[in-house]
Amino acid sequence: MKVVLVGAGAREHAIAEHLARGASLYSIMDKPHPGILPLSTDSLICDPTDRERVSSWCAENGIELGFVSPDALLEKGVTDILASAGVKVASPLRESARIEWDKNYARNLLLRHKIPGLPGFLLVNDAEEASAFISRMGDVVVKPVGLTGGKGVRIMGEHLNSPEEALAYISELIEKDGHALLEEKLEGEEFTLQAFCDGTRISAMPPVQDHKRAFVGDTGPNTGGMGSYSTGPLLPFMEPGDLEAAKSIMQLTVDAMRSEGNPFRGVLYGQFMLTRGGPKVIEFNARFGDPEAMNALMLLRTPLHEIFQSIPEGNLMGAAFSTDCTVVKYLVPEGYPSAGKKGMKVDVDRQALLKCGGKAYFASVYGEGGAVLTTSSRAVAVASRDASLGHAEEKAECSIRAISGNLWHRPDIGTAALVRKRVEHMGRLR
Ligand code: AMP
Ligand code: GLY
Protein backbone atom coordinates (compact mmCIF):
# COMPACT_ATOMS: atom_id res chain seq x y z
CA MET A 1 0.00 0.00 0.00
CA LYS A 2 1.47 3.34 -1.09
CA VAL A 3 0.21 6.17 1.11
CA VAL A 4 0.97 9.84 0.70
CA LEU A 5 0.98 12.21 3.68
CA VAL A 6 0.78 15.93 3.04
CA GLY A 7 2.11 18.26 5.73
CA ALA A 8 5.19 18.48 7.93
CA GLY A 9 5.02 19.24 11.65
CA ALA A 10 5.17 17.26 14.90
CA ARG A 11 1.63 15.98 14.36
CA GLU A 12 2.55 14.81 10.87
CA HIS A 13 5.79 13.28 12.17
CA ALA A 14 3.68 11.11 14.51
CA ILE A 15 1.25 10.22 11.70
CA ALA A 16 4.19 9.37 9.42
CA GLU A 17 5.74 7.10 12.04
CA HIS A 18 2.50 5.10 12.26
CA LEU A 19 1.92 4.89 8.52
CA ALA A 20 5.50 3.84 7.81
CA ARG A 21 5.02 0.78 10.05
CA GLY A 22 2.50 -0.85 7.72
CA ALA A 23 2.65 0.94 4.37
CA SER A 24 5.12 2.55 1.98
CA LEU A 25 5.10 6.17 3.06
CA TYR A 26 5.35 8.98 0.52
CA SER A 27 5.36 12.57 1.69
CA ILE A 28 4.68 16.00 0.26
CA MET A 29 5.96 19.00 2.16
CA ASP A 30 7.01 22.56 1.51
CA LYS A 31 10.41 22.07 3.13
CA PRO A 32 12.33 18.93 4.10
CA HIS A 33 11.22 17.76 7.54
CA PRO A 34 14.08 16.10 9.44
CA GLY A 35 11.77 13.47 10.96
CA ILE A 36 9.45 12.60 8.08
CA LEU A 37 12.09 12.54 5.33
CA PRO A 38 13.95 9.46 6.62
CA LEU A 39 10.65 7.59 7.13
CA SER A 40 9.57 8.18 3.53
CA THR A 41 10.20 5.97 0.48
CA ASP A 42 10.16 9.20 -1.49
CA SER A 43 9.28 12.84 -0.83
CA LEU A 44 8.13 15.70 -3.00
CA ILE A 45 9.36 19.04 -1.69
CA CYS A 46 7.09 21.65 -3.22
CA ASP A 47 4.15 23.89 -2.52
CA PRO A 48 1.45 21.25 -1.83
CA THR A 49 -1.13 23.40 -3.64
CA ASP A 50 0.83 23.04 -6.90
CA ARG A 51 -1.78 20.91 -8.69
CA GLU A 52 0.40 19.96 -11.68
CA ARG A 53 3.40 18.79 -9.69
CA VAL A 54 1.39 17.00 -7.02
CA SER A 55 -0.84 15.20 -9.53
CA SER A 56 1.95 14.04 -11.81
CA TRP A 57 4.18 12.92 -8.92
CA CYS A 58 1.30 10.86 -7.42
CA ALA A 59 0.63 9.27 -10.82
CA GLU A 60 4.32 8.49 -11.45
CA ASN A 61 4.62 6.82 -8.05
CA GLY A 62 1.33 4.92 -8.22
CA ILE A 63 0.07 6.45 -4.96
CA GLU A 64 -3.09 4.67 -3.78
CA LEU A 65 -4.18 6.51 -0.65
CA GLY A 66 -3.74 10.08 0.58
CA PHE A 67 -4.08 12.04 3.81
CA VAL A 68 -3.81 15.81 3.97
CA SER A 69 -3.15 16.91 7.54
CA PRO A 70 -2.87 20.70 8.19
CA ASP A 71 -5.92 22.98 8.29
CA ALA A 72 -4.52 25.54 5.84
CA LEU A 73 -4.01 22.86 3.16
CA LEU A 74 -7.46 21.36 3.73
CA GLU A 75 -8.95 24.81 3.22
CA LYS A 76 -6.98 25.20 0.01
CA GLY A 77 -8.43 21.94 -1.32
CA VAL A 78 -5.27 19.81 -1.42
CA THR A 79 -7.42 16.71 -0.72
CA ASP A 80 -9.43 17.62 -3.84
CA ILE A 81 -6.18 17.78 -5.83
CA LEU A 82 -5.24 14.25 -4.71
CA ALA A 83 -8.75 12.95 -5.41
CA SER A 84 -8.80 14.35 -8.91
CA ALA A 85 -5.43 12.66 -9.53
CA GLY A 86 -7.16 9.32 -8.82
CA VAL A 87 -5.86 8.90 -5.24
CA LYS A 88 -8.33 7.57 -2.67
CA VAL A 89 -8.48 10.07 0.20
CA ALA A 90 -8.86 9.72 3.96
CA SER A 91 -9.00 13.47 4.67
CA PRO A 92 -11.90 15.83 3.94
CA LEU A 93 -12.48 17.65 0.68
CA ARG A 94 -12.42 21.43 0.82
CA GLU A 95 -16.20 21.65 1.12
CA SER A 96 -16.40 19.30 4.12
CA ALA A 97 -13.37 20.91 5.79
CA ARG A 98 -15.62 23.98 5.85
CA ILE A 99 -16.69 22.78 9.30
CA GLU A 100 -13.31 24.19 10.39
CA TRP A 101 -12.53 27.08 8.05
CA ASP A 102 -15.94 28.72 8.32
CA LYS A 103 -16.97 28.99 11.97
CA ASN A 104 -20.27 30.57 10.96
CA TYR A 105 -21.11 27.50 8.79
CA ALA A 106 -20.28 25.22 11.74
CA ARG A 107 -22.47 27.19 14.14
CA ASN A 108 -25.40 27.32 11.72
CA LEU A 109 -25.13 23.61 10.87
CA LEU A 110 -25.72 22.82 14.55
CA LEU A 111 -28.55 25.35 14.69
CA ARG A 112 -30.32 24.00 11.56
CA HIS A 113 -30.18 20.45 12.85
CA LYS A 114 -31.02 21.31 16.48
CA ILE A 115 -27.84 19.60 17.67
CA PRO A 116 -27.22 20.13 21.40
CA GLY A 117 -24.15 21.92 22.75
CA LEU A 118 -24.45 25.15 20.79
CA PRO A 119 -23.49 28.32 22.71
CA GLY A 120 -25.27 31.62 22.00
CA PHE A 121 -23.67 33.26 18.95
CA LEU A 122 -24.15 36.05 16.43
CA LEU A 123 -22.37 36.93 13.21
CA VAL A 124 -22.09 40.72 13.14
CA ASN A 125 -21.13 43.20 10.48
CA ASP A 126 -21.75 46.43 12.35
CA ALA A 127 -20.81 47.75 15.77
CA GLU A 128 -24.38 48.53 16.86
CA GLU A 129 -25.49 44.91 16.51
CA ALA A 130 -22.37 43.87 18.39
CA SER A 131 -23.06 46.31 21.18
CA ALA A 132 -26.65 45.02 21.58
CA PHE A 133 -25.39 41.40 21.75
CA ILE A 134 -22.83 42.34 24.43
CA SER A 135 -25.49 44.14 26.50
CA ARG A 136 -27.67 41.04 26.31
CA MET A 137 -24.97 38.41 26.93
CA GLY A 138 -22.54 40.13 29.30
CA ASP A 139 -19.05 38.76 28.65
CA VAL A 140 -18.56 37.48 25.12
CA VAL A 141 -15.84 35.87 23.03
CA VAL A 142 -14.83 37.53 19.76
CA LYS A 143 -13.60 35.36 16.88
CA PRO A 144 -12.58 35.83 13.29
CA VAL A 145 -14.75 33.55 11.11
CA GLY A 146 -11.83 31.94 9.25
CA LEU A 147 -8.66 30.08 10.21
CA THR A 148 -6.34 31.84 12.63
CA GLY A 149 -3.91 29.16 13.80
CA GLY A 150 -5.57 29.34 17.24
CA LYS A 151 -4.49 32.91 17.79
CA GLY A 152 -7.36 35.19 16.73
CA VAL A 153 -9.83 34.49 19.55
CA ARG A 154 -10.15 37.15 22.26
CA ILE A 155 -12.15 36.74 25.44
CA MET A 156 -13.78 39.47 27.52
CA GLY A 157 -12.39 39.50 31.05
CA GLU A 158 -9.12 38.00 29.78
CA HIS A 159 -7.81 39.67 26.63
CA LEU A 160 -10.52 42.32 26.35
CA ASN A 161 -10.95 44.37 29.50
CA SER A 162 -14.12 46.31 28.73
CA PRO A 163 -17.03 46.38 26.25
CA GLU A 164 -15.16 49.26 24.54
CA GLU A 165 -12.07 47.11 23.99
CA ALA A 166 -14.28 44.30 22.69
CA LEU A 167 -16.00 46.69 20.27
CA ALA A 168 -12.65 48.02 19.06
CA TYR A 169 -11.49 44.46 18.23
CA ILE A 170 -14.85 43.67 16.60
CA SER A 171 -14.53 46.80 14.42
CA GLU A 172 -10.99 45.76 13.46
CA LEU A 173 -12.28 42.34 12.33
CA ILE A 174 -15.24 43.84 10.47
CA GLU A 175 -12.87 46.16 8.64
CA LYS A 176 -10.57 43.28 7.71
CA ASP A 177 -13.04 40.43 7.00
CA GLY A 178 -16.44 42.15 6.69
CA HIS A 179 -17.73 40.39 9.81
CA ALA A 180 -16.90 38.95 13.24
CA LEU A 181 -18.33 36.06 15.24
CA LEU A 182 -19.51 36.83 18.78
CA GLU A 183 -20.20 34.03 21.21
CA GLU A 184 -21.49 33.57 24.69
CA LYS A 185 -18.49 33.12 27.03
CA LEU A 186 -18.60 29.59 28.38
CA GLU A 187 -17.16 28.55 31.71
CA GLY A 188 -15.81 25.10 32.35
CA GLU A 189 -12.98 22.72 31.48
CA GLU A 190 -11.97 22.15 27.88
CA PHE A 191 -11.38 18.80 26.27
CA THR A 192 -10.70 17.51 22.78
CA LEU A 193 -12.44 14.55 21.23
CA GLN A 194 -11.01 13.30 17.94
CA ALA A 195 -12.79 10.70 15.81
CA PHE A 196 -12.20 8.86 12.55
CA CYS A 197 -15.23 9.30 10.27
CA ASP A 198 -16.25 7.61 7.02
CA GLY A 199 -19.10 9.99 6.20
CA THR A 200 -21.59 7.93 8.21
CA ARG A 201 -19.98 6.45 11.29
CA ILE A 202 -17.45 7.70 13.82
CA SER A 203 -14.79 5.87 15.81
CA ALA A 204 -13.73 8.06 18.73
CA MET A 205 -10.25 8.33 20.21
CA PRO A 206 -9.56 8.88 23.94
CA PRO A 207 -10.32 12.44 25.12
CA VAL A 208 -7.34 14.77 25.55
CA GLN A 209 -6.84 18.07 27.33
CA ASP A 210 -4.71 20.64 25.50
CA HIS A 211 -3.09 23.76 27.00
CA LYS A 212 -3.37 26.73 24.67
CA ARG A 213 -1.99 29.39 26.97
CA ALA A 214 1.68 30.14 26.63
CA PHE A 215 2.75 30.29 30.27
CA VAL A 216 2.65 28.27 33.49
CA GLY A 217 -0.71 28.34 35.27
CA ASP A 218 -2.63 28.95 32.01
CA THR A 219 -1.60 32.57 31.68
CA GLY A 220 -0.45 34.61 28.70
CA PRO A 221 -1.59 34.63 25.10
CA ASN A 222 -3.18 31.70 23.28
CA THR A 223 -0.78 29.59 21.22
CA GLY A 224 -1.11 26.68 18.82
CA GLY A 225 -0.99 24.46 21.97
CA MET A 226 1.84 24.04 24.51
CA GLY A 227 1.13 20.45 25.48
CA SER A 228 -1.58 17.97 26.36
CA TYR A 229 -2.36 14.91 28.43
CA SER A 230 -4.82 12.05 28.46
CA THR A 231 -5.78 9.54 31.13
CA GLY A 232 -7.36 6.60 29.32
CA PRO A 233 -11.05 6.43 28.41
CA LEU A 234 -11.95 9.54 30.47
CA LEU A 235 -10.20 12.70 31.69
CA PRO A 236 -10.11 13.10 35.50
CA PHE A 237 -12.74 15.88 35.54
CA MET A 238 -15.19 14.04 33.26
CA GLU A 239 -18.03 11.69 34.00
CA PRO A 240 -18.99 8.90 31.56
CA GLY A 241 -22.15 10.82 30.58
CA ASP A 242 -20.04 13.82 29.48
CA LEU A 243 -18.11 11.67 27.01
CA GLU A 244 -21.29 10.07 25.70
CA ALA A 245 -22.85 13.53 25.21
CA ALA A 246 -19.80 14.75 23.27
CA LYS A 247 -19.74 11.62 21.08
CA SER A 248 -23.42 12.06 20.36
CA ILE A 249 -22.86 15.70 19.29
CA MET A 250 -20.09 14.51 16.92
CA GLN A 251 -22.27 11.73 15.49
CA LEU A 252 -25.21 14.12 14.98
CA THR A 253 -22.87 16.58 13.23
CA VAL A 254 -21.63 13.85 10.87
CA ASP A 255 -25.29 12.84 10.25
CA ALA A 256 -26.20 16.47 9.54
CA MET A 257 -23.39 16.89 7.01
CA ARG A 258 -24.32 13.67 5.23
CA SER A 259 -27.98 14.67 5.07
CA GLU A 260 -26.95 17.96 3.41
CA GLY A 261 -24.95 16.11 0.75
CA ASN A 262 -21.57 17.07 2.24
CA PRO A 263 -20.37 13.89 4.00
CA PHE A 264 -17.40 14.27 6.33
CA ARG A 265 -14.64 11.73 5.71
CA GLY A 266 -11.46 12.06 7.71
CA VAL A 267 -10.59 12.96 11.28
CA LEU A 268 -13.15 15.17 13.00
CA TYR A 269 -11.87 17.14 15.99
CA GLY A 270 -14.42 18.39 18.49
CA GLN A 271 -13.25 20.97 20.96
CA PHE A 272 -15.63 21.04 23.88
CA MET A 273 -16.11 23.11 27.00
CA LEU A 274 -17.46 20.94 29.76
CA THR A 275 -19.85 23.32 31.53
CA ARG A 276 -22.30 22.91 34.37
CA GLY A 277 -24.86 22.11 31.65
CA GLY A 278 -22.71 19.44 29.94
CA PRO A 279 -20.36 19.70 26.96
CA LYS A 280 -20.70 22.71 24.63
CA VAL A 281 -19.01 22.99 21.26
CA ILE A 282 -16.15 25.53 21.12
CA GLU A 283 -15.28 24.54 17.57
CA PHE A 284 -14.82 21.71 15.13
CA ASN A 285 -11.63 21.04 13.22
CA ALA A 286 -11.36 18.86 10.13
CA ARG A 287 -8.12 17.17 11.17
CA PHE A 288 -6.09 15.75 14.03
CA GLY A 289 -5.23 18.23 16.77
CA ASP A 290 -1.69 19.34 17.31
CA PRO A 291 -0.56 18.27 19.96
CA GLU A 292 -3.56 16.00 20.61
CA ALA A 293 -2.73 13.73 17.64
CA MET A 294 0.38 12.58 19.47
CA ASN A 295 -1.56 11.61 22.61
CA ALA A 296 -4.05 9.55 20.61
CA LEU A 297 -1.55 7.99 18.21
CA MET A 298 0.71 6.82 21.05
CA LEU A 299 -2.22 4.71 22.23
CA LEU A 300 -3.54 3.50 18.88
CA ARG A 301 -3.39 -0.28 18.48
CA THR A 302 -5.05 -0.58 15.07
CA PRO A 303 -2.79 -0.01 12.04
CA LEU A 304 -3.39 3.58 10.95
CA HIS A 305 -3.09 2.84 7.24
CA GLU A 306 -5.87 0.26 7.55
CA ILE A 307 -8.17 2.78 9.25
CA PHE A 308 -7.32 5.35 6.56
CA GLN A 309 -8.00 2.77 3.87
CA SER A 310 -11.46 2.04 5.29
CA ILE A 311 -12.51 5.73 5.26
CA PRO A 312 -12.97 6.27 1.49
CA GLU A 313 -14.54 2.80 1.27
CA GLY A 314 -17.27 4.02 3.66
CA ASN A 315 -16.58 0.94 5.74
CA LEU A 316 -14.93 2.44 8.83
CA MET A 317 -12.63 0.15 10.76
CA GLY A 318 -13.11 0.67 14.51
CA ALA A 319 -9.94 1.91 16.19
CA ALA A 320 -8.65 0.24 19.37
CA PHE A 321 -6.63 2.12 21.99
CA SER A 322 -4.55 1.31 25.04
CA THR A 323 -5.93 2.73 28.30
CA ASP A 324 -2.55 4.20 29.33
CA CYS A 325 -2.00 7.85 30.24
CA THR A 326 -0.05 10.16 27.91
CA VAL A 327 1.77 13.49 28.18
CA VAL A 328 2.97 15.70 25.33
CA LYS A 329 4.99 18.87 25.91
CA TYR A 330 6.18 21.32 23.32
CA LEU A 331 9.64 22.86 23.39
CA VAL A 332 9.47 26.33 21.87
CA PRO A 333 12.22 28.80 20.98
CA GLU A 334 13.17 31.66 23.27
CA GLY A 335 10.84 34.60 22.62
CA TYR A 336 7.88 32.41 21.58
CA PRO A 337 4.98 33.13 21.05
CA SER A 338 5.48 36.80 20.13
CA ALA A 339 9.00 36.59 18.68
CA GLY A 340 10.44 33.07 18.65
CA LYS A 341 14.17 33.13 17.81
CA LYS A 342 14.86 31.64 14.40
CA GLY A 343 17.83 29.69 13.12
CA MET A 344 18.94 28.22 16.47
CA LYS A 345 20.33 24.71 16.68
CA VAL A 346 18.29 21.89 18.24
CA ASP A 347 20.00 18.65 19.27
CA VAL A 348 18.24 15.47 20.26
CA ASP A 349 20.29 12.94 22.24
CA ARG A 350 18.64 9.74 20.96
CA GLN A 351 20.31 7.50 23.54
CA ALA A 352 19.16 9.66 26.44
CA LEU A 353 15.66 9.86 24.97
CA LEU A 354 15.50 6.09 24.71
CA LYS A 355 16.57 5.76 28.34
CA CYS A 356 13.77 8.12 29.41
CA GLY A 357 11.24 6.05 27.48
CA GLY A 358 9.99 9.11 25.59
CA LYS A 359 9.70 10.16 21.97
CA ALA A 360 10.52 13.37 20.16
CA TYR A 361 8.65 14.73 17.16
CA PHE A 362 9.98 17.66 15.16
CA ALA A 363 7.62 20.56 14.59
CA SER A 364 8.52 23.80 12.76
CA VAL A 365 12.20 23.12 12.30
CA TYR A 366 14.29 22.53 9.21
CA GLY A 367 17.46 20.71 8.34
CA GLU A 368 20.49 22.59 7.07
CA GLY A 369 24.00 21.24 6.68
CA GLY A 370 23.22 18.31 8.96
CA ALA A 371 21.86 20.56 11.74
CA VAL A 372 18.26 21.00 12.85
CA LEU A 373 17.33 24.70 13.15
CA THR A 374 14.37 26.55 14.69
CA THR A 375 11.83 28.78 12.98
CA SER A 376 9.80 31.23 15.10
CA SER A 377 7.21 28.51 15.92
CA ARG A 378 7.05 25.44 18.13
CA ALA A 379 10.22 23.37 17.69
CA VAL A 380 9.98 19.85 19.16
CA ALA A 381 7.28 17.88 20.96
CA VAL A 382 8.20 15.23 23.50
CA ALA A 383 5.64 12.51 24.06
CA SER A 384 5.42 9.74 26.62
CA ARG A 385 2.98 7.16 27.92
CA ASP A 386 2.67 5.10 31.05
CA ALA A 387 0.02 3.36 33.11
CA SER A 388 0.17 6.31 35.54
CA LEU A 389 -0.03 9.98 34.61
CA GLY A 390 2.69 10.81 37.15
CA HIS A 391 5.16 8.45 35.48
CA ALA A 392 4.20 9.63 31.99
CA GLU A 393 4.86 13.23 33.10
CA GLU A 394 8.26 12.27 34.60
CA LYS A 395 9.20 10.53 31.35
CA ALA A 396 8.25 13.67 29.41
CA GLU A 397 10.42 15.89 31.65
CA CYS A 398 13.28 13.40 31.38
CA SER A 399 12.91 13.47 27.57
CA ILE A 400 13.03 17.24 27.58
CA ARG A 401 16.45 17.05 29.24
CA ALA A 402 17.60 14.94 26.29
CA ILE A 403 17.01 17.88 23.96
CA SER A 404 19.33 20.85 23.86
CA GLY A 405 18.83 24.26 22.33
CA ASN A 406 17.63 27.68 23.33
CA LEU A 407 14.16 26.33 24.11
CA TRP A 408 11.56 26.46 26.89
CA HIS A 409 8.40 24.58 27.81
CA ARG A 410 5.58 24.50 30.35
CA PRO A 411 6.68 22.24 33.21
CA ASP A 412 3.18 22.23 34.75
CA ILE A 413 1.43 20.31 31.94
CA GLY A 414 0.35 16.85 33.05
CA THR A 415 1.37 17.38 36.70
CA ALA A 416 -0.82 16.18 39.56
CA ALA A 417 -1.14 19.76 40.83
CA LEU A 418 -2.55 21.12 37.57
CA VAL A 419 -4.88 18.16 37.10
CA ARG A 420 -6.17 18.63 40.67
CA LYS A 421 -6.98 22.26 39.84
CA ARG A 422 -9.07 21.12 36.86
CA VAL A 423 -10.96 18.58 38.94
CA GLU A 424 -11.64 21.15 41.67
CA HIS A 425 -12.76 23.71 39.11
CA MET A 426 -15.24 21.25 37.60
CA GLY A 427 -16.37 20.20 41.08
CA ARG A 428 -17.21 23.82 41.93
CA LEU A 429 -19.19 24.22 38.71
CA ARG A 430 -21.29 21.05 38.91
P1 AMP B 1 -10.39 28.49 19.17
O1 AMP B 1 -9.37 29.20 18.34
O2 AMP B 1 -11.79 28.63 18.66
O3 AMP B 1 -9.98 27.10 19.50
O4 AMP B 1 -10.41 29.23 20.58
C1 AMP B 1 -9.25 29.41 21.34
C2 AMP B 1 -9.59 29.33 22.80
O5 AMP B 1 -10.50 30.37 23.16
C3 AMP B 1 -10.29 28.06 23.19
O6 AMP B 1 -9.41 27.04 23.43
C4 AMP B 1 -11.04 28.48 24.43
O7 AMP B 1 -10.18 28.44 25.55
C5 AMP B 1 -11.39 29.90 24.15
N1 AMP B 1 -12.78 30.00 23.68
C6 AMP B 1 -13.22 29.92 22.40
N2 AMP B 1 -14.57 30.06 22.35
C7 AMP B 1 -14.99 30.22 23.62
C8 AMP B 1 -16.27 30.43 24.24
N3 AMP B 1 -17.41 30.51 23.52
N4 AMP B 1 -16.31 30.57 25.59
C9 AMP B 1 -15.18 30.52 26.33
N5 AMP B 1 -13.94 30.33 25.81
C10 AMP B 1 -13.84 30.19 24.48
N1 GLY C 1 -4.55 21.84 19.65
C1 GLY C 1 -5.44 22.69 18.98
C2 GLY C 1 -5.57 22.45 17.54
O1 GLY C 1 -4.99 21.55 16.97
O2 GLY C 1 -6.30 23.19 16.93
Side-chain angles (χ1 to χ4, degrees):
M1 160 75 52
K2 293 184 171 186
V3 187
V4 68
L5 171 68
V6 187
R11 166 183 55 196
E12 290 75 22
H13 189 179
I15 297 169
E17 186 186 69
H18 255 276
L19 290 175
R21 278 183 206 147
S24 295
L25 177 70
Y26 289 73
S27 50
I28 300 177
M29 42 197 164
D30 55 2
K31 43 184 183 314
H33 183 283
I36 301 174
L37 212 58
L39 293 168
S40 306
T41 305
D42 197 6
S43 298
L44 175 64
I45 312 296
C46 80
D47 172 0
T49 65
D50 185 335
R51 176 178 291 273
E52 298 283 298
R53 287 190 71 186
V54 167
S55 306
S56 57
W57 187 79
C58 287
E60 277 159 29
N61 286 289
I63 304 293
E64 298 160 84
L65 184 65
F67 185 79
V68 181
S69 175
D71 45 355
L73 298 181
L74 292 166
E75 185 192 16
K76 288 188 178 135
V78 176
T79 305
D80 307 52
I81 295 178
L82 296 182
S84 54
V87 175
K88 293 211 164 80
V89 288
S91 52
L93 298 172
R94 176 179 151 77
E95 192 46 35
S96 27
R98 183 166 194 178
I99 188 102
E100 172 164 10
W101 55 258
D102 182 353
K103 288 193 163 98
N104 191 44
Y105 163 81
R107 289 296 185 220
N108 281 295
L109 181 78
L110 267 67
L111 190 64
R112 277 197 298 284
H113 292 267
K114 301 191 174 60
I115 298 174
L118 184 64
F121 75 98
L122 186 69
L123 184 75
V124 295
N125 49 27
D126 77 69
E128 237 168 78
E129 260 184 302
S131 179
F133 185 78
I134 294 173
S135 309
R136 204 166 67 245
M137 284 285 173
D139 278 358
V140 301
V141 177
V142 183
K143 302 182 174 185
V145 169
L147 299 180
T148 60
K151 290 165 199 151
V153 173
R154 294 200 195 158
I155 302 174
M156 277 177 76
E158 292 181 38
H159 318 94
L160 302 166
N161 292 314
S162 63
E164 291 68 39
E165 275 187 39
L167 285 169
Y169 184 49
I170 293 164
S171 301
E172 190 187 313
L173 291 177
I174 293 175
E175 201 155 298
K176 190 156 61 80
D177 306 332
H179 46 221
L181 188 66
L182 306 192
E183 287 179 5
E184 164 194 4
K185 180 178 166 181
L186 300 168
E187 211 210 324
E189 279 300 322
E190 277 181 78
F191 66 94
T192 300
L193 189 60
Q194 305 169 99
F196 298 104
C197 309
D198 66 356
T200 306
R201 281 168 299 173
I202 69 170
S203 175
M205 306 178 212
V208 180
Q209 190 170 41
D210 184 19
H211 298 72
K212 296 216 165 188
R213 299 307 201 87
F215 308 130
V216 164
D218 291 323
T219 55
N222 275 328
T223 66
M226 293 297 291
S228 47
Y229 71 93
S230 72
T231 50
L234 275 185
L235 286 162
F237 53 85
M238 292 174 86
E239 289 172 2
D242 302 325
L243 182 64
E244 288 317 308
K247 276 189 193 165
S248 163
I249 290 169
M250 305 253 295
Q251 180 66 60
L252 290 169
T253 302
V254 168
D255 295 346
M257 289 183 75
R258 192 185 66 247
S259 76
E260 294 192 356
N262 186 22
F264 187 91
R265 298 195 182 94
V267 174
L268 184 64
Y269 168 118
Q271 190 187 341
F272 293 94
M273 183 77 86
L274 184 53
T275 68
R276 177 180 288 133
K280 306 274 184 214
V281 178
I282 297 272
E283 67 172 355
F284 285 115
N285 293 330
R287 52 172 173 84
F288 277 113
D290 189 350
E292 297 97 318
M294 290 173 269
N295 300 90
L297 290 174
M298 264 190 282
L299 302 171
L300 181 64
R301 288 181 160 153
T302 314
L304 185 61
H305 73 284
E306 289 184 18
I307 301 175
F308 279 179
Q309 204 176 353
S310 74
I311 288 174
E313 288 168 359
N315 185 22
L316 187 65
M317 178 183 277
F321 294 89
S322 150
T323 56
D324 273 0
C325 299
T326 63
V327 174
V328 176
K329 301 197 192 208
Y330 258 114
L331 284 151
V332 298
E334 186 192 325
Y336 181 87
S338 55
K341 276 201 182 152
K342 301 176 188 173
M344 286 180 312
K345 234 175 129 216
V346 176
D347 276 312
V348 179
D349 180 340
R350 294 277 158 201
Q351 286 302 327
L353 196 64
L354 208 62
K355 264 201 204 144
C356 295
K359 293 191 165 238
Y361 297 106
F362 288 121
S364 287
V365 291
Y366 59 100
E368 199 176 85
V372 175
L373 303 174
T374 58
T375 64
S376 60
S377 292
R378 297 177 294 184
V380 190
V382 298
S384 57
R385 63 176 268 197
D386 197 281
S388 95
L389 183 64
H391 286 147
E393 200 274 334
E394 282 164 19
K395 284 182 185 173
E397 285 295 328
C398 174
S399 306
I400 282 173
R401 292 191 289 275
I403 298 171
S404 50
N406 197 355
L407 305 165
W408 62 274
H409 73 286
R410 270 187 61 173
D412 57 340
I413 293 171
T415 58
L418 196 59
V419 171
R420 197 177 322 115
K421 255 176 65 183
R422 313 273 190 224
V423 172
E424 285 169 4
H425 180 212
M426 210 55 235
R428 282 197 302 279
L429 286 178
R430 281 202 206 259

